[in-house]
């Protein structure tokens, strides 16, 4: 709900709860961490701006601080600074840091205030949350108190959604060329890939799915062959040869592991066609992605994945600093990092045949197989891979190879055309927005300039990137354009002529009339006439270098031809 107009710093009477003392709080014996609070309130309501002490700071109560009250807080409080917008929240931040409060929540008048408030919060040593401007303070207060009272402490929650694991199984099947099942350590089937040909499925696979557990006779054989022992002891992909006499086809298996603990197994059965060349690597990546699902068996831990993606997206966009994500995932913020960007092309399968989750799964599997700490998140219409803690010896060429493997897999296995970009390798997490901006610049240029390559780094297409940005500047500022060229385009539009197109072809060919005429499929004399006619109509002198340069740029605008 939108708040009513008011002067900066003045509280909105409609959103301020009934008066109560500033120290009034809702105690919770155990308290919850800032991480748990963010999972409960979620991105639609609040956004983390700073967490200098990390996300494990304990919140034990909620307190309302009115601008008329003295800035006094209590240890462990979440302080809701109602009415103290923007810089008016400085006293609450300093008081919270002085008194040991856990966090202060404020509303911002403008996005630019976040930097100054975050700096003050870091200096005071207290977490800062920004509340959405349309949210009402009583709503924030009620939800925060409910979070304190209802977040479970060590109580088992629901497991991952079936759709997540089934989608991962299907993606893994596409990448390996086989038939996939995901099982827990008790050999209970958790998810499996679809198979259109029932003749490809062997007896072990069929009986396992129908009974949701591997048949004991087959499990005994696998134990006898030492398969389960090898899975418990190793992270490597294990190959089990075919046994036609037992109705068992060749298959691969890999343990799903969290640290030293085995969480389950992924099995890939070979069908009528051999498994793909890189099936081992794809299976290794799939196991690491599957671990993210299986390890989050508690409700709050399933929300942890959402928080991770939110923090990663905030870092990519530059709205959240590196510290919250580094603290949340125990990352070394001082290690090199980079961003890979991917956008959807026009070719390939229709949206009804290919969901975004399938593409994200494919990217996740490929990157997890190459870099354990890779994080995949979607911002608007693009998918980004954040690569923290990179080896200091890694280079852009290696990252370009990762991107090419992903786009080729998407085309080959999913029928999907992707464009990929490699952002610059930056010294640490704090510079990640710079790498994301470079990745976006490359993707923008690949679209506008029609670059043929599917994956590029800035050195590969630097000229195309810079020209596309100059054209974008011309597009946004009509006053920077030559009105004579604008008039020429308008003349062609009225008369269905081709003078502007001919001028551009002539300039692109460096004045070589025969080459330009061949490009346009006209006689050289026809082109010479069109160039003279364009100069006569507009007063342009294409013999002057400055006018040629401007004409080449302006006539490349999408709206020009």
């Amino acid at each position: 709900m939108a708040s009513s107009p008011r002067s900066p710093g003045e509280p909105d009477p409609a959103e301020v709860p009934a008066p109560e003392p500033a120290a009034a709080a809702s105690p919770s014996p155990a308290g919850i961490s800032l991480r748990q609070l963010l999972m409960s309130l979620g991105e639609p309501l609040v956004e983390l701006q700073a967490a200098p002490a990390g996300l494990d700071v304990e919140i034990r109560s909620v307190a309302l601080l009115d601008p008329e009250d003295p800035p006094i807080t209590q240890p462990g409080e979440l302080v809701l600074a109602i009415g103290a917008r923007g810089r008016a929240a400085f006293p609450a931040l300093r008081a919270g840091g002085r008194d040991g409060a856990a966090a202060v929540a404020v509303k911002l008048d403008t996005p630019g205030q976040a930097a100054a408030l975050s700096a003050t919060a870091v200096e005071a040593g207290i977490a800062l949350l920004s509340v959405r401007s349309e949210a009402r303070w009583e709503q924030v207060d009620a939800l925060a108190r409910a979070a304190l009272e209802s977040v479970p402490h060590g109580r088992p929650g629901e497991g991952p959604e079936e759709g997540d694991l089934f989608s991962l199984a299907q993606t893994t099947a596409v990448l390996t060329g086989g038939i996939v099942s995901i099982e827990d350590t008790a050999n209970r089937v958790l998810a499996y890939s679809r198979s259109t040909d029932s003749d490809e499925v062997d007896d072990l696979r069929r009986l396992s799915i129908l009974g949701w557990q591997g048949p004991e006779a087959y499990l005994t054989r696998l134990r006898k062959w030492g398969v389960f022992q090898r899975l418990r002891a190793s992270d490597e992909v294990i190959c089990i040869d075919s046994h036609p006499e037992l109705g068992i086809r060749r298959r691969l298996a890999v343990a799903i592991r969290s640290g030293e603990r085995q969480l389950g197994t992924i099995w890939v059965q070979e069908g009528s066609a051999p498994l793909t060349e890189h099936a081992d690597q794809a299976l290794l990546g799939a196991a690491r992605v599957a671990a993210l699902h299986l390890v989050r068996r508690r409700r709050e831990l399933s929300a942890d994945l959402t928080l991770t993606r939110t923090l990663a997206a905030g870092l990519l966009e530059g709205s959240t600093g590196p510290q919250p994500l580094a603290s949340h995932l125990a990352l070394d913020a001082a290690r090199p990092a980079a961003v890979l960007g991917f956008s959807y092309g026009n070719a390939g399968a229709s949206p009804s045949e290919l969901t975004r989750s399938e593409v994200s799964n494919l990217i996740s599997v490929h990157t997890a197989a190459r870099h354990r700490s890779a994080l995949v998140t979607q911002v608007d219409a693009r998918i980004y891979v954040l690569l923290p803690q990179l080896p200091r010896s890694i280079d852009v060429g290696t990252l370009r190879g990762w991107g090419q493997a992903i786009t080729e897999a998407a085309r080959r296995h999913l029928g999907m055309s992707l464009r990929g970009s490699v952002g610059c390798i930056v010294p640490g997490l704090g510079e990640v927005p710079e790498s994301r901006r470079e990745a976006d610049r490359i993707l923008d240029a690949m679209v506008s300039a029609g670059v043929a390559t599917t994956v590029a780094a800035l050195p590969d297409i630097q000229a195309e990137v810079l020209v596309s940005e100059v054209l974008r500047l011309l597009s946004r500022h009509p006053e920077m354009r030559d009105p004579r060229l604008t008039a020429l385009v308008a003349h062609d539009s009225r008369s269905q002529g081709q003078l502007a197109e001919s001028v551009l072809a002539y300039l692109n060919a460096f004045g070589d009339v025969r080459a330009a005429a061949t490009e346009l499929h006209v006689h050289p004399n026809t082109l010479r006439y069109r160039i003279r006619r364009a100069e006569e109509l507009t007063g342009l002198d294409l013999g002057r270098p400055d006018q040629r340069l401007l004409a080449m740029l302006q006539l490349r605008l999408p709206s020009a031809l």
Side-chain angles (χ1 to χ4, degrees):
M1 291 179 289
S3 55
S4 57
R6 56 194 171 283
S7 302
E10 178 185 350
D12 180 359
E15 63 177 13
V16 178
E20 61 182 26
S26 175
S28 176
I32 63 172
S33 67
L34 177 59
R35 177 183 285 105
Q36 289 172 308
L37 180 77
L38 291 170
M39 292 176 190
S40 298
L41 298 189
E43 182 272 338
L45 193 64
V46 299
E47 183 176 357
L48 180 67
Q49 298 293 339
L55 298 180
D56 293 321
V57 173
E58 187 181 36
I59 297 173
R60 296 192 293 273
S61 60
V62 181
L64 302 170
L65 184 62
D66 190 274
E68 302 300 322
D69 294 328
I72 299 174
T73 64
Q74 299 295 325
E77 282 183 343
L78 167 63
V79 180
L80 306 182
I82 60 174
R85 288 176 173 262
R87 295 179 178 272
F90 283 170
L93 289 169
R94 297 189 180 104
R98 178 196 66 213
D99 299 334
V104 173
V106 302
K107 289 189 177 183
L108 305 177
D109 283 324
T110 63
Q113 292 174 341
L117 285 168
S118 295
T120 302
V122 170
E123 182 181 350
I126 189 169
L128 171 66
L129 306 177
S130 60
V131 178
R132 301 292 181 184
S133 59
E134 62 271 26
R136 301 178 70 87
W137 279 114
E138 61 265 34
Q139 177 190 17
V140 180
D141 178 47
L143 290 174
R145 293 174 190 269
L148 281 167
E149 296 167 358
S150 64
V151 170
H153 300 280
R155 188 179 70 231
E158 297 174 358
E161 293 182 5
E162 285 187 344
D164 291 335
L165 284 177
F166 274 89
S167 178
L168 177 61
Q170 189 64 30
T171 299
T172 307
V174 169
L175 293 178
T176 60
I179 306 167
V180 174
S181 62
I182 302 175
E183 299 179 3
D184 63 14
T185 52
N187 303 114
R188 289 185 294 264
V189 178
L190 301 174
Y192 53 88
S193 63
R194 300 181 297 273
S195 178
T196 56
D197 187 354
S198 60
D199 292 335
E200 291 190 343
V201 178
D202 66 11
D203 290 344
L204 175 55
R205 153 91 174 184
R206 184 179 296 106
L207 293 172
S208 295
I209 291 176
L210 292 176
W212 284 99
Q213 188 173 24
E216 186 54 39
Y218 287 103
L219 296 179
T220 301
R221 293 276 187 172
L222 294 176
R223 292 190 192 100
K224 182 179 178 180
W225 297 333
V227 172
F228 293 121
Q229 183 179 358
R230 293 171 63 190
L231 286 170
R232 285 192 296 269
S234 172
D235 291 332
E236 296 178 355
V237 175
I238 297 170
C239 179
I240 300 101
D241 292 331
S242 64
H243 291 268
E245 73 280 8
L246 301 175
I248 298 177
R249 298 192 182 190
R250 176 176 177 259
R251 58 193 357 98
L252 302 178
V254 67
I256 304 168
R257 197 178 300 279
S258 177
E260 296 298 320
R261 180 186 176 196
Q262 184 182 354
L263 304 174
T265 308
I266 302 182
W267 302 85
V268 179
Q269 179 220 299
E270 191 174 70
S272 58
L275 298 177
T276 61
E277 180 181 356
H278 301 292
D280 285 20
Q281 189 177 49
L283 191 55
L284 180 62
R288 293 175 180 172
V289 175
L292 295 175
H293 295 297
L294 297 185
V295 79
R296 292 174 172 91
R297 287 285 184 173
R298 302 177 186 273
R299 187 176 288 109
E300 68 266 29
L301 289 181
S302 65
D304 176 71
L305 185 58
T306 300
L307 177 59
T308 298
R309 289 171 177 166
T310 300
L311 293 176
L315 179 60
L316 290 170
E317 294 175 324
S319 60
T320 303
Q323 190 275 330
L325 183 64
S327 174
H328 179 52
L329 298 179
L331 300 174
D332 184 352
R335 291 267 300 275
V339 174
L340 305 181
F342 295 92
S343 64
Y344 299 95
N346 294 326
S350 65
S352 61
E353 300 169 9
L354 181 65
T355 65
R356 289 184 176 184
S357 66
E358 287 176 310
V359 178
S360 294
N361 272 337
L362 182 144
I363 295 173
S364 296
V365 168
H366 270 271
T367 52
R370 292 163 174 80
H371 187 61
R372 186 177 295 274
S373 302
L375 298 171
V376 178
T377 190
Q378 185 154 327
V379 179
D380 298 326
R382 289 178 176 174
I383 298 175
Y384 297 94
V385 181
L386 172 58
L387 299 168
Q389 300 187 146
L390 286 171
R392 299 190 186 278
S393 59
I394 202 164
D395 57 21
V396 169
T398 300
L399 301 184
R400 187 194 297 110
W402 294 2
Q404 287 171 340
I406 289 170
T407 57
E408 289 170 5
R411 175 187 53 78
R412 184 171 60 253
H413 298 302
L414 303 179
M416 181 59 153
S417 174
L418 293 180
R419 297 185 183 91
S421 63
V422 182
C424 55
I425 299 174
V426 293
L429 279 183
E431 293 78 26
V432 158
E434 176 186 345
S435 183
R436 186 263 175 112
R437 282 192 294 271
E438 184 165 298
D440 279 339
R441 292 175 65 198
I442 296 165
L443 288 176
D444 291 341
M446 292 174 79
V447 174
S448 61
V451 177
T453 185
T454 55
V455 180
L458 186 59
D460 302 327
I461 58 168
Q462 189 152 27
E464 290 87 344
V465 169
L466 295 176
V467 168
S468 70
E469 290 174 347
V470 170
L471 292 178
R472 195 175 303 117
L473 188 66
L474 279 175
S475 179
R476 293 172 180 172
H477 295 276
E479 71 277 7
M480 295 176 61
R481 305 177 208 163
D482 189 329
R484 295 172 296 181
L485 293 166
T486 304
L488 180 63
V489 173
H491 175 273
D492 278 351
S493 179
R494 289 191 305 269
S495 61
Q496 297 184 336
Q498 296 176 299
L499 297 182
E501 179 185 7
S502 299
V503 168
L504 181 58
Y506 170 74
L507 294 174
N508 286 341
F510 298 100
D512 186 331
V513 173
R514 291 191 177 277
T518 300
E519 178 72 20
L520 295 171
H521 305 291
V522 299
H523 193 277
N525 287 339
T526 300
L527 180 60
R528 291 188 182 96
Y529 167 77
R530 289 179 181 177
I531 300 301
R532 288 197 305 271
R533 180 62 176 156
E535 289 181 319
E536 291 169 359
L537 282 173
T538 61
L540 287 168
D541 181 359
L542 296 179
R544 296 175 57 181
D546 288 347
Q547 293 193 21
R548 288 200 305 272
L549 175 61
L550 184 58
M552 283 189 72
L553 288 172
Q554 188 169 327
L555 292 178
R556 288 190 183 193
L557 290 174
S559 59
L561 300 178

